[in-house]
Amino acid sequence: MTYAVVFRNVMDEEPAEVRARLRRSLEEIARAMDGIPPSSEMVASFAQSPMHVDVSGWRFLYKVERDNARLVVTAAAPAPSDVSVRVAAKR
């Protein structure tokens, strides 16, 4: 099952470069999801849990729609300030 990436009217303020990086990140997640059987408890858990990904200072919320095989971005906001601290600490 190939998951599609869908944006729900949340991409108005973010620069084009951030949107492109977000799409690449979600497409990578979608490819990883393709390797998990749809009946897996892991996929069920993902579908029930709010998910997020941080890209270039922005936090994007998305949900996994298992039945429709979609990753749907539902909200965007500046990432919390502690995200940049954690990233810097990993370097």
Side-chain angles (χ1 to χ4, degrees), residues 35-55:
I36 304 170
S39 59
S40 165
E41 287 299 318
M42 185 181 302
V43 175
S45 176
F46 292 158
Q48 295 172 6
S49 304
M51 308 294 282
H52 76 267
V53 62
D54 294 330
V55 176

Side-chain angles (χ1 to χ4, degrees), residues 3-11 22-23 26-27 29-30 33 46-47 49-53 60-76:
Y3 281 79
V5 175
V6 177
F7 298 96
R8 284 247 172 92
N9 302 322
V10 295
M11 303 301 294
L22 172 64
R23 179 169 290 281
L26 290 174
E27 287 172 347
I29 292 168
M33 299 267 316
F46 292 158
S49 304
M51 308 294 282
H52 76 267
V53 62
F60 297 92
L61 302 180
Y62 68 97
K63 62 182 180 175
V64 176
E65 291 184 352
R66 176 171 61 168
D67 295 337
N68 297 325
R70 302 187 316 173
L71 302 179
V72 181
V73 179
T74 58

Side-chain angles (χ1 to χ4, degrees), residues 9-28:
N9 302 322
V10 295
M11 303 301 294
D12 297 335
E13 299 177 27
E14 300 78 12
E17 178 183 321
V18 173
R19 291 191 304 266
R21 287 187 68 202
L22 172 64
R23 179 169 290 281
R24 285 192 303 271
S25 294
L26 290 174
E27 287 172 347
E28 182 177 336

